[in-house]
Amino acid sequence: MSDESMDIDDGHGSSDMEMKSRRKRKKRILEEDADSDSVSEEKKTDDHKAKKSKEVPTYYAAGTRVSKEFSDGETYEGAIQELHTVENGEKCYHVKYDDGDSEDIDQDEINFYIIAKAEKPIASKPKRKKSIKPTPPSKKKTKRKEVGKNDVKEEAQDEEEAMTSTTKKKKEPTPKVVKEEEVVKTSSRFGRARKKVNYSLFDQEESEVEEDEFDAPPNRKKASSTKKAARGRKKISNDDDDDSEAMVDSSEEDDDLDDVVVSEDEDDSSEEEEAVRPVKRKGGKKAAGKKPIVDSSAKDTKEGKKKMSESFKPSDVPLFSKLSLEEIKKTKEYLDPCGMEATDDIIDRLVGDQVDKIGELLVRALKSNDSLGSSVLPMKLGTACSGTDAPSLAMTLVQEQMELKGLNKLFHFDHKFSCELEPFKQAYLARNFDSVLYPDIVKLTDEEPRDVYGQVQNIPEFNLFVAGTSCKNFSMLRSTKRIDIEDKGCSGETFLAAVEVLFKEKPAFAIFENVQNAPWAKMQEYITGRVKLSSCEDKKAIKDVKPGEKKDLIFIQDRNGDIIVDRVPSIYGIRCGAVVSGYLKGESNQLKNVEWPKNNKKKECTLTELLKSNSIAKANDTLVFGTDCTYCTHTMKADTKNYGLPQTRFRTYMFVWRPDDEADVNDDLGEYWEAIVKHLHSPVRHSLHSFILNVDHDIIRVFREALNGPAGRQTKRLTFQEADFWGGTNANLPHNQNVRKALGMDDLARSLLSWGPHGKKQVPPHYWLEYLNCSEQRRLDLLEILHASALRDAESHDSSFSSFYWNLSQNASKEHHRTACPGIAGCVTPGGDFFLPEEGRPLLGCEKLLVQGIPYFRLALGNETEVQLGDLAGNAMSLTVVCAMMLSAVTCKQLRKEAGGLSNATKILSMAGLKNTKTKMTNPLFDGVALKGCSPAFPFLQSLANLGLRAISSSIWCTCETSGTSSLTSQFLQCKVCRVSCCRNCVSATAGYQLKSHDTVDVEVPPEQHSLGNFLAELRNILPPSLIFNKEGIDDIANVDGDCHRVSTLSKYEFCLHRIKRDRKKWLVCYMARENNNTGEAVGEFRITVGEIKREGFSSSKDNAVEVGVKGELTSFQPARTKPLVYGKIDPCATFTVLRDSNESQIDWKVKMTDSTVSLTVKGEGETDSPRVEVGLNDDTTKSLDSTAKKNHNSKAFAAAKKLGEERRWKYSSNWKVWPEKIIIDACPKVSSTEQNKIDSSGVCGVYVRSRCRQTVNQDALWVHEGKCDELTLYILIRPNVNRTGPDTAIISSSIDHTDASSVLAILPSSWEPCDALKPECHVLKDVKLTNWERTARLECKILKSNVKVDSPNDVSDVFVSVSGLNKIESSLLCNG
């Protein structure tokens, strides 16, 4: 977000005349305060002189260098500018840092940060006989404004003289220049009416910054005028407040650093600057009204030049460093998606799981008469700041899931109203929800509230209020711009308006959601009207209390004797004008009276006086203020990834309820609510890639067409005109330079994209070229850095083949290449530009909604843009999280009634799950009825094999065709080794796909053969609707190692045609077997590949000979469905091939058997550069990794890893820079005859030569077997661990495609790396696994004949179409849709 969008009105809607009057009023107030304070200061001079005379302080001269580490772990260097006295009378050194920021550090603390003294340090100054009278504040301010460039030297002398005079007489404090916002804030806290502001001005200029504190940066360098403030930012706070959670402890794993991001207004504003200039941050370290002395160090710095900040720290600690690889596999790996796609009912199932977990308790609660959602007390929902209205969607899904489980008409729910300010969100809500829609929550409590259509609509009756009020002003992303509830920002306005709705309408329950660093303690006080006196000293306010601000509440007494709040410091959540009702003694519910102090004859009294006169204990008692009704509150923190969604999103939820007994302010219902919410925790079962769309989806196709359309071409032209990023003066360049230096990466290393000025780039063949053409050079260089960072890890991964999630809207110094939880996205923000390098494309707005749990494909959407969809997702509540909160609100009363105490709640919840509620529907074809009319599948498969060449011609030949379109040219380039291909239009010397490292040949594919529609129509005419497998053949597979594949039940299922997918050089046909008559979860898959059976290279001697035909693979998903669960990808258990023009008469099935273990010698010859060298990493990388492993807080974990032989997770091999040019594999000299036979039959021995192909195989690791032309071509590859829950593993395969599990012949140990082949001590490899496949003759695949007939009568009748041959279940499913 640009600076222009941030420099907007302060939220008060003030005119120029109002601002001028405020300035005059501020100036007058400051002068009056200064005159009154000068008298009191002179009285303290004698005591101050006596105290200072005992000490002779040491002063540091201007220019003395300092280095300070801040709470975010970043270290900044700077120089002392001056010594001056701040508002509270303390002496502080004004330090200006190299990045342009500044702050005050007191005398005691400065000693810790000195790194280099000035050439002529100033010794301790003797007392001066005559003190210098300080200039009055008003004059001093004017004088500094008049100082010109030629007067800097004179001013420096004045400052030095004032510095030496402080031992004689204390310098009068200079009043802080108060900002206009602070003046208004102060006035609003001192009894003046709260002015309603038009906070839509904020939303129109910038979308809400709703980011999680764990994904936000820690507190940045900030103005600090007191010792407390300075020390509080020196190191990480150990306080229990939310702010400490946003900071990164340097003693912990570096994983946490990966979630650190900054606000877009700080980063994107600098992206647009063309000249390097000092960055000015609002609320920074520089003290108001101070002008630093120009010293020698400042003179050495040219004006306008920004020194590179050394804030970036690379992630050197491995993921899950305290766990072994075996423990990681058991606890951090994900389940196979089992054919699940983003378009399936993923969100529905997650909600269904929550209903299952507490189903019995939920049923009992709904059958009672006092629970929310019962027939007597139906849930009437009202939402505010609704956005996507996730609460309403969640309850709708709960109703549907209960009906599917046979619990009809138990849960009664009605969505009464929504409230949303944004016009496009209003349109979305109007299309999707049949409820009253209000435009502004601030106006919701008007006497005659109006809906979005301007009609007067009284608020409908409701009993549950869910409000996700604005978080923009509370978020840690705005660490330099955060403002409190009372500061008239949109966050405070919307919250206070929601509280007004509570007290006006008095619903029985409410749920509030916001970021964790919102002032929750104050928010609770606003709702309950109760202030725990023991928390008065806590940091409840967003900003520190100013030194001049009083921390005591001020009360007045009216004519009726009521004690009324007159002035409120920022640490209290109490409104001015609130009436004191009494106080509570300890945990008692009995309200005691509070009397006005008897000896107080003044018009006002402080809280301290009130407590003292009424003998109220500050340590235990609670002060109570009058409210319209009694509310109790309970808060808890929640993370989205604990509720089944692959996203790290930390939020706090507050449960608000009216106790049954109005006098019971200590009602414990919230404890039971939290217990149920925690019981509903559900870990993420499937990684992020299960929630993103297939690349051929229509939504993605439309987006890519827009990139290639007029708007995309215009953006491309502007991008190509951009000046050279590295040769210019772009403000972001220091970030990239610094990160490369910290990583140990060469400045001009660009192996991934080879980008340059004027649009020059050579990108990996799977990236979206049209997207990168619209990306500026800063982002291209950021991709280079992040890609190199992934390979830089000791446990390296290639970003093109492993799952990563990068935010390209961030600067290089703030975006780390990996998150603390692999396979899980960082927090979705409204303006984030997220990139998936494995897919080579950005994350779209609809996918962001899916990651938030919003069922995108159930919504009625209009013409929302990508930006608007991202805004909807970024500001939404995570659906499964708010669903858990609301289900807990429904059942918490029932749990308390049954438990009789919180100690029994866990036991009851453990037995609260639904039992046998799923309606099981079996296919009648397999209920003992003889199957008649089934035909063998071999003729059908043979006809498919004969279409192999046509399948190749009509398949995907270039990445520009992956979204359902065809290239505009028939000319293609294809590599003879790795088989990658690109169209001529996408191969350009300026901007195109990288093929210079490949041995390519020209291939022409005629347009009529490349036609997508013609082949697809022909393929559909051949494919049968369903297939089955015979029981005898399935039993043969089940006999393998005690049915390790869990296939015994697959013979009972019908495999129905699920999907036809166009792929590279092949077509994929998927048949799925599902529960509940093919309406439930998938239990098995039969995949047919038509075209190239396996990806392999060719040479002139082979005359382009590749295997063409059909390949079938049978996979059972039961290992990922039934306990004990098997984590990770599930490989096929049986496979077959049918070649084109084959003379075979039946299918030759092979069954996967148990792997055997052998020992091999793996030697290397010659040297080539390793991938780490090719991406530009140097020796600084190894130094950084070695240093990290030796640190005290990492030494224990490193020692444990070393003991287990997992040292490679922390450090490189000594010869990490080189990989062998040739790899020679042979059997060990002393192997047994049995092992020798296994090795000989596998055929893996021989000489393998490294290929020059780059960016088409994982880590560019491809060694080709030097065999005879009639021998099977083998390859050494490195198979990626896509979710990064373990190291990549080297394999020997007959296919270049690492995903082709049936072609893998051998699996090398996970600890082996190619550089080990050049180390004699590593030549012998034990525990090499050889895969075994055995033929079976009994397994048969049959085509199930369908008796269904569809007719359209020719005569004139009311029947449009007739369907016959359906059974009862099929008829029911058809009629019910």
Side-chain angles (χ1 to χ4, degrees):
M1 190 172 294
S2 64
D3 285 334
E4 289 80 359
S5 64
M6 294 301 300
D7 293 336
I8 59 178
D9 183 35
D10 61 355
H12 302 280
S14 304
S15 63
D16 294 339
M17 293 299 295
E18 290 175 341
M19 297 181 70
K20 290 179 180 179
S21 63
R22 287 177 185 169
R23 294 191 185 100
K24 292 179 180 179
R25 184 169 64 253
K26 286 190 298 180
K27 183 176 180 180
R28 184 174 63 254
I29 293 172
L30 294 173
E31 290 175 354
E32 291 174 357
D33 292 343
D35 293 339
S36 61
D37 290 342
S38 61
V39 178
S40 59
E41 287 295 329
E42 291 177 359
K43 294 180 180 180
K44 300 178 182 179
T45 303
D46 295 335
D47 296 337
H48 181 71
K49 288 193 296 181
K51 182 178 179 180
K52 289 294 182 179
S53 62
K54 299 178 182 179
E55 303 176 358
V56 180
T58 301
Y59 295 96
Y60 295 102
T64 302
R65 300 290 294 174
V66 299
S67 177
K68 180 177 177 181
E69 180 180 355
F70 286 79
S71 58
D72 57 0
E74 300 176 355
T75 301
Y76 296 82
E77 292 187 6
I80 292 175
Q81 302 292 299
E82 63 174 344
L83 177 67
H84 63 98
T85 305
V86 293
E87 289 87 341
N88 63 351
E90 291 189 9
K91 292 183 181 299
C92 289
Y93 285 94
H94 187 75
V95 176
K96 183 175 182 181
Y97 293 91
D98 295 342
D99 63 354
D101 287 352
S102 59
E103 73 167 339
D104 294 334
I105 303 178
D106 60 61
Q107 284 180 291
D108 297 334
E109 193 176 2
I110 195 68
N111 297 320
F112 296 103
Y113 307 136
I114 298 297
I115 57 175
K117 297 182 179 180
E119 296 180 0
K120 297 180 180 181
I122 302 175
S124 300
K125 298 292 183 180
K127 297 180 182 178
R128 298 176 64 90
K129 294 182 179 180
K130 184 177 180 180
S131 62
I132 299 176
K133 186 176 180 180
T135 306
S138 59
K139 296 181 180 179
K140 189 171 184 178
K141 179 178 179 182
T142 305
K143 179 180 178 181
R144 287 187 179 276
K145 286 186 177 180
E146 294 174 353
V147 172
K149 295 182 179 180
N150 298 329
D151 300 326
V152 174
K153 187 174 181 180
E154 179 181 352
E155 185 179 357
Q157 294 174 355
D158 293 341
E159 289 291 335
E160 184 176 349
E161 187 176 5
M163 186 190 307
T164 58
S165 68
T166 54
T167 59
K168 181 70 177 176
K169 182 176 179 179
K170 192 169 184 178
K171 185 177 178 181
E172 181 176 344
T174 302
K176 182 179 178 181
V177 177
V178 184
K179 292 183 180 180
E180 294 163 15
E181 305 93 88
E182 297 171 349
V183 174
V184 177
K185 181 187 74 171
T186 304
S187 63
S188 65
R189 294 294 295 180
F190 279 71
R192 301 192 180 184
R194 181 167 58 87
K195 181 181 178 181
K196 293 186 178 181
V197 300
N198 183 12
Y199 61 88
S200 63
L201 293 174
F202 285 84
D203 296 331
Q204 291 169 1
E205 295 293 336
E206 59 178 309
S207 55
E208 282 191 14
V209 183
E210 182 165 339
E211 176 61 280
D212 181 77
E213 283 71 39
F214 279 72
D215 291 336
N219 292 336
R220 301 175 69 88
K221 292 177 288 184
K222 190 177 180 181
S224 174
S225 60
T226 65
K227 179 189 293 187
K228 180 178 179 180
R231 288 181 177 174
R233 289 165 177 81
K234 179 182 176 184
K235 292 185 179 179
I236 294 133
S237 171
N238 292 324
D239 298 338
D240 294 332
D241 58 7
D242 290 342
D243 289 1
S244 63
E245 295 186 22
M247 301 177 184
V248 181
D249 191 336
S250 60
S251 64
E252 294 295 329
E253 299 180 19
D254 286 354
D255 303 344
D256 297 332
L257 291 173
D258 301 331
D259 289 335
V260 176
V261 297
V262 297
S263 60
E264 294 165 297
D265 54 303
E266 291 178 2
D267 283 339
D268 290 22
S269 61
S270 60
E271 293 172 19
E272 300 174 2
E273 299 175 21
E274 295 298 332
V276 179
R277 57 178 177 80
V279 178
K280 296 181 180 179
R281 296 188 180 95
K282 296 181 181 179
K285 296 186 290 287
K286 190 170 182 178
K290 298 291 180 182
K291 189 167 184 178
I293 297 175
V294 178
D295 55 30
S296 57
S297 62
K299 291 179 181 178
D300 294 338
T301 304
K302 295 182 180 179
E303 185 177 359
K305 182 180 179 181
K306 177 185 175 183
K307 287 192 175 181
M308 184 173 54
S309 172
E310 297 181 0
S311 61
F312 177 82
K313 288 188 177 181
S315 302
D316 290 340
V317 178
L319 287 171
F320 314 121
S321 61
K322 296 179 181 179
L323 301 178
S324 66
L325 291 176
E326 188 64 29
E327 292 172 331
I328 294 173
K329 184 177 180 180
K330 291 180 179 179
T331 59
K332 303 299 182 181
E333 184 61 272
Y334 299 98
L335 292 172
D336 190 288
C338 302
M340 181 177 63
E341 298 177 359
T343 53
D344 294 338
D345 299 331
I346 305 177
I347 313 302
D348 302 49
R349 296 176 188 177
L350 292 175
V351 173
D353 291 343
Q354 291 186 351
V355 174
D356 286 339
K357 274 195 170 184
I358 59 168
E360 295 293 339
L361 179 65
L362 181 61
V363 170
R364 295 194 297 269
L366 295 176
K367 288 182 178 179
S368 66
N369 296 329
D370 59 347
S371 291
L372 193 65
S374 63
S375 58
V376 177
L377 189 64
M379 178 187 291
K380 300 175 182 178
L381 175 66
T383 59
C385 302
S386 305
T388 56
D389 235 331
S392 180
L393 290 170
M395 293 300 98
T396 301
L397 292 178
V398 168
Q399 268 188 331
E400 293 179 1
Q401 290 298 314
M402 292 188 70
E403 291 177 1
L404 289 175
K405 299 174 191 303
L407 305 175
N408 301 331
K409 299 181 181 179
L410 272 180
F411 180 53
H412 299 269
F413 155 71
D414 188 12
H415 185 195
K416 291 295 184 180
F417 72 89
S418 301
C419 186
E420 178 55 55
L421 184 66
E422 289 282 355
F424 82 90
K425 294 180 182 177
Q426 292 173 357
Y428 158 84
L429 293 170
R431 284 193 300 268
N432 289 277
F433 303 98
D434 186 17
S435 58
V436 181
L437 179 57
Y438 295 100
D440 192 350
I441 188 175
V442 175
K443 300 177 182 179
L444 201 57
T445 54
D446 292 349
E447 292 184 3
E448 293 184 344
R450 296 180 179 270
D451 61 14
V452 293
Y453 308 106
Q455 303 296 320
V456 175
Q457 285 274 12
N458 292 326
I459 301 178
E461 181 185 354
F462 63 101
N463 52 21
L464 175 60
F465 183 50
V466 181
T469 55
S470 171
C471 71
K472 179 167 59 178
N473 304 127
F474 299 155
S475 174
M476 284 299 294
L477 276 185
R478 300 170 58 89
S479 57
T480 60
K481 301 181 181 68
R482 295 176 71 214
I483 58 177
D484 220 321
I485 295 175
E486 304 80 17
D487 291 337
K488 300 295 181 179
C490 61
S491 297
E493 285 289 327
T494 53
F495 169 74
L496 292 176
V499 175
E500 289 180 3
V501 174
L502 274 185
F503 286 121
K504 180 180 179 181
E505 302 298 328
K506 301 178 179 61
F509 300 94
I511 296 174
F512 284 73
E513 180 262 3
N514 215 301
V515 294
Q516 288 192 351
N517 271 5
W520 285 105
K522 289 174 59 177
M523 294 162 75
Q524 289 178 279
E525 291 173 356
Y526 271 112
I527 294 174
T528 62
R530 299 185 290 275
V531 177
K532 277 194 168 294
L533 297 173
S534 59
S535 67
C536 292
E537 301 301 326
D538 293 347
K539 185 182 177 183
K540 296 187 291 185
I542 284 182
K543 295 181 179 179
D544 294 334
V545 178
K546 299 182 183 67
E549 181 182 353
K550 296 180 180 180
K551 295 184 179 181
D552 251 355
L553 284 168
I554 305 298
F555 300 91
I556 59 174
Q557 190 177 30
D558 65 3
R559 295 178 181 179
N560 299 325
D562 292 334
I563 302 174
I564 301 174
V565 178
D566 185 52
R567 279 174 283 181
V568 185
S570 58
I571 61 174
Y572 295 96
I574 301 296
R575 292 175 181 267
C576 291
V579 179
V580 177
S581 298
Y583 75 97
L584 302 174
K585 197 74 175 175
E587 299 297 326
S588 172
N589 288 329
Q590 184 178 358
L591 190 65
K592 296 188 176 183
N593 292 331
V594 175
E595 302 292 340
W596 185 263
K598 294 180 180 179
N599 299 328
N600 190 321
K601 298 181 181 180
K602 298 183 295 184
K603 295 181 180 180
E604 61 182 28
C605 75
T606 64
L607 175 63
T608 304
E609 294 172 348
L610 198 67
L611 299 182
K612 184 176 181 181
S613 64
N614 288 274
S615 300
I616 301 175
K618 195 172 183 179
N620 303 312
D621 298 347
T622 302
L623 195 61
V624 181
F625 297 86
T627 55
D628 295 336
C629 61
T630 301
Y631 276 113
C632 297
T633 60
H634 187 88
T635 61
M636 71 168 294
K637 299 173 182 177
D639 182 8
T640 296
K641 65 174 173 283
N642 291 331
Y643 297 88
L645 296 175
Q647 180 194 180
T648 297
R649 188 183 189 87
F650 293 92
R651 290 294 181 267
T652 295
Y653 284 80
M654 177 167 60
F655 180 46
V656 183
W657 73 98
R658 295 180 63 181
D660 297 332
D661 182 2
E662 291 286 331
D664 186 10
V665 297
N666 294 316
D667 188 37
D668 62 349
L669 186 63
E671 301 287 344
Y672 295 90
W673 171 79
E674 182 176 357
I676 300 172
V677 172
K678 290 182 177 178
H679 179 71
L680 291 174
H681 277 195
S682 176
V684 179
R685 294 184 298 180
H686 307 293
S687 66
L688 173 65
H689 277 260
S690 299
F691 288 77
I692 65 174
L693 300 177
N694 288 315
V695 70
D696 58 350
H697 196 279
D698 285 344
I699 294 175
I700 293 183
R701 177 183 55 79
V702 171
F703 179 75
R704 296 187 69 176
E705 287 176 352
L707 290 176
N708 288 312
R713 291 195 295 270
Q714 176 65 18
T715 305
K716 176 181 175 181
R717 283 193 292 268
L718 295 175
T719 303
F720 279 29
Q721 294 171 7
E722 184 183 3
D724 186 5
F725 177 74
W726 275 85
T729 56
N730 192 293
N732 290 279
L733 180 57
H735 291 274
N736 294 47
Q737 291 173 329
N738 175 61
V739 171
R740 285 175 174 262
K741 181 180 179 181
L743 291 173
M745 180 182 177
D746 297 339
D747 278 352
L748 299 180
R750 302 173 185 177
S751 64
L752 180 69
L753 304 176
S754 302
W755 64 270
H758 309 300
K760 180 182 178 182
K761 62 182 71 68
Q762 298 293 313
V763 307
H766 72 286
Y767 273 37
W768 284 8
L769 184 60
E770 62 269 32
Y771 174 76
L772 295 182
N773 282 336
C774 297
S775 300
E776 69 269 23
Q777 297 173 38
R778 181 198 69 84
R779 298 192 178 205
L780 300 181
D781 196 59
L782 178 57
L783 284 172
E784 295 280 3
I785 291 172
L786 295 173
H787 174 73
S789 298
L791 287 169
R792 178 187 179 277
D793 287 342
E795 188 178 279
S796 62
H797 296 277
D798 189 338
S799 66
S800 295
F801 296 90
S802 298
S803 177
F804 287 92
Y805 177 88
W806 296 337
N807 188 356
L808 300 186
S809 61
Q810 297 296 331
N811 273 322
S813 58
K814 298 301 179 185
E815 178 66 11
H816 287 252
H817 70 284
R818 56 177 164 93
T819 59
C821 297
I824 291 179
C827 188
V828 173
T829 56
D833 183 9
F834 304 105
F835 188 77
L836 306 173
E838 182 190 9
E839 301 290 326
R841 67 174 180 88
L843 188 73
L844 301 189
C846 59
E847 294 170 315
K848 295 177 184 178
L849 286 169
L850 290 171
V851 172
Q852 276 283 59
I854 307 299
Y856 176 82
F857 297 102
R858 297 168 60 103
L859 303 177
L861 294 171
N863 295 322
E864 286 84 359
T865 64
E866 275 297 307
V867 174
Q868 290 174 336
L869 289 175
D871 184 78
L872 274 173
N875 290 318
M877 298 182 193
S878 299
L879 185 139
T880 55
V881 181
V882 73
C883 183
M885 304 295 167
M886 298 174 73
L887 284 175
S888 301
V890 171
T891 54
C892 58
K893 279 193 174 183
Q894 183 68 24
L895 177 61
R896 182 171 64 175
K897 185 192 303 182
E898 296 179 6
L902 196 59
S903 58
N904 296 327
T906 304
K907 181 179 179 181
I908 293 177
L909 286 173
S910 64
M911 300 182 292
L914 284 176
K915 302 176 180 65
N916 301 324
T917 58
K918 292 184 178 180
T919 304
K920 292 186 177 181
M921 296 182 292
T922 57
N923 194 323
L925 292 172
F926 303 103
D927 288 343
V929 180
L931 298 177
K932 298 181 179 180
C934 291
S935 59
F938 179 74
F940 142 70
L941 294 173
Q942 198 167 36
S943 61
L944 277 183
N946 293 333
L947 293 177
L949 290 178
R950 292 193 58 191
I952 295 175
S953 298
S954 60
S955 65
I956 296 174
W957 281 72
C958 183
T959 302
C960 66
E961 301 179 330
T962 55
S963 296
T965 58
S966 295
S967 175
L968 298 178
T969 180
S970 59
Q971 302 295 324
F972 297 87
L973 288 176
Q974 180 175 245
C975 179
K976 294 193 293 184
V977 180
C978 68
R979 301 285 286 166
V980 66
S981 60
C982 300
C983 70
R984 278 286 185 180
N985 291 347
C986 294
V987 179
S988 169
T990 303
Y993 289 121
Q994 188 279 122
L995 291 179
K996 63 182 180 181
S997 63
H998 299 267
D999 184 7
T1000 59
V1001 294
D1002 287 295
V1003 178
E1004 182 176 1
V1005 182
E1008 62 275 8
Q1009 296 182 14
H1010 197 51
S1011 172
L1012 165 66
N1014 293 342
F1015 181 79
L1016 181 60
E1018 186 174 356
L1019 188 61
R1020 286 188 178 278
N1021 289 332
I1022 296 177
L1023 295 175
S1026 57
L1027 300 169
I1028 60 172
F1029 291 89
N1030 66 326
K1031 187 176 184 304
E1032 295 78 10
I1034 295 297
D1035 289 343
D1036 284 352
I1037 303 176
N1039 291 331
V1040 177
D1041 197 15
D1043 195 15
C1044 62
H1045 301 297
R1046 304 188 199 176
V1047 298
S1048 58
T1049 60
L1050 288 187
S1051 60
K1052 299 180 181 180
Y1053 290 94
E1054 177 183 0
F1055 287 76
C1056 296
L1057 181 61
H1058 172 68
R1059 178 178 172 82
I1060 301 174
K1061 181 180 179 181
R1062 183 188 184 207
D1063 208 340
R1064 291 182 182 269
K1065 309 296 174 59
K1066 59 189 176 184
W1067 285 73
L1068 301 177
V1069 180
C1070 296
Y1071 286 83
M1072 287 287 183
R1074 298 181 181 273
E1075 294 177 339
N1076 299 339
N1077 203 41
N1078 287 314
T1079 61
E1081 294 183 344
V1083 295
E1085 179 190 53
F1086 179 49
R1087 173 173 294 192
I1088 301 174
T1089 301
V1090 185
E1092 286 190 4
I1093 291 178
K1094 57 185 177 182
R1095 181 177 159 194
E1096 56 181 339
F1098 59 85
S1099 61
S1100 56
S1101 60
K1102 286 193 174 184
D1103 194 21
N1104 297 6
V1106 294
E1107 293 186 2
V1108 178
V1110 167
K1111 179 177 182 179
E1113 294 174 314
L1114 177 63
T1115 305
S1116 172
F1117 293 145
Q1118 293 291 6
R1121 298 290 190 196
T1122 59
K1123 295 183 179 180
L1125 296 174
V1126 175
Y1127 291 88
K1129 188 178 183 301
I1130 299 178
D1131 293 329
C1133 59
T1135 183
F1136 71 87
T1137 58
V1138 177
L1139 297 179
R1140 182 174 63 94
D1141 299 331
S1142 173
N1143 296 324
E1144 298 176 1
S1145 58
Q1146 63 180 8
I1147 301 175
D1148 186 14
W1149 282 94
K1150 294 181 181 179
V1151 177
K1152 179 70 168 63
M1153 310 300 289
T1154 306
D1155 295 338
S1156 57
T1157 303
V1158 299
S1159 297
L1160 297 175
T1161 58
V1162 181
K1163 301 179 181 179
E1165 290 183 358
E1167 292 183 355
T1168 59
D1169 288 341
S1170 69
R1172 291 182 176 126
V1173 173
E1174 290 180 351
V1175 298
L1177 298 178
N1178 52 48
D1179 290 331
D1180 291 342
T1181 301
T1182 56
K1183 294 177 182 178
S1184 179
L1185 292 171
D1186 293 345
S1187 174
T1188 300
K1190 294 177 182 178
K1191 289 182 179 179
N1192 292 334
H1193 55 274
N1194 294 325
S1195 58
K1196 186 176 180 180
F1198 174 66
K1202 190 174 182 180
K1203 185 177 180 180
L1204 294 172
E1206 299 173 1
E1207 183 181 1
R1208 292 283 178 85
R1209 295 179 60 201
W1210 290 82
K1211 301 172 68 174
Y1212 290 171
S1213 174
S1214 58
N1215 62 337
W1216 63 274
K1217 291 185 178 182
V1218 293
W1219 275 11
E1221 183 178 357
K1222 291 184 178 180
I1223 295 179
I1224 304 169
I1225 296 180
D1226 201 353
C1228 288
K1230 298 181 180 180
V1231 297
S1232 63
S1233 58
T1234 303
E1235 283 191 25
Q1236 186 66 51
N1237 292 334
K1238 292 180 180 178
I1239 296 172
D1240 293 340
S1241 60
S1242 67
V1244 298
C1245 296
V1247 179
Y1248 297 78
V1249 181
R1250 190 181 184 190
S1251 167
R1252 294 177 54 251
C1253 297
R1254 296 294 181 264
Q1255 300 180 343
T1256 53
V1257 291
N1258 183 43
Q1259 297 193 34
D1260 299 332
L1262 177 61
W1263 284 265
V1264 184
H1265 187 267
E1266 281 188 336
K1268 299 178 181 178
C1269 61
D1270 57 345
E1271 292 180 345
L1272 182 66
T1273 303
L1274 300 181
Y1275 308 91
I1276 297 179
L1277 308 167
I1278 295 182
R1279 184 166 60 184
N1281 185 313
V1282 177
N1283 291 326
R1284 298 182 290 112
T1285 53
D1288 295 349
T1289 307
I1291 60 173
I1292 302 175
S1293 174
S1294 59
S1295 171
I1296 303 174
D1297 185 1
H1298 63 263
T1299 62
D1300 189 355
S1302 59
S1303 297
V1304 176
L1305 303 178
I1307 304 173
L1308 276 60
S1310 60
S1311 60
W1312 184 83
E1313 295 180 359
C1315 59
D1316 292 338
L1318 297 173
K1319 300 172 70 174
E1321 63 272 19
C1322 300
H1323 284 172
V1324 177
L1325 283 185
K1326 299 180 180 179
D1327 299 327
V1328 177
K1329 294 182 179 180
L1330 297 181
T1331 59
N1332 296 318
W1333 295 81
E1334 292 186 2
R1335 288 181 171 84
T1336 177
R1338 296 206 301 170
L1339 183 60
E1340 295 181 10
C1341 176
K1342 298 183 178 181
I1343 299 175
L1344 189 62
K1345 184 178 179 180
S1346 175
N1347 297 320
V1348 179
K1349 294 183 179 180
V1350 180
D1351 294 321
S1352 179
N1354 295 325
D1355 56 337
V1356 179
S1357 65
D1358 296 335
V1359 178
F1360 177 72
V1361 63
S1362 64
V1363 182
S1364 61
L1366 297 175
N1367 57 48
K1368 291 182 179 181
I1369 295 178
E1370 291 171 337
S1371 300
S1372 175
L1373 292 173
L1374 180 63
C1375 294
N1376 294 332

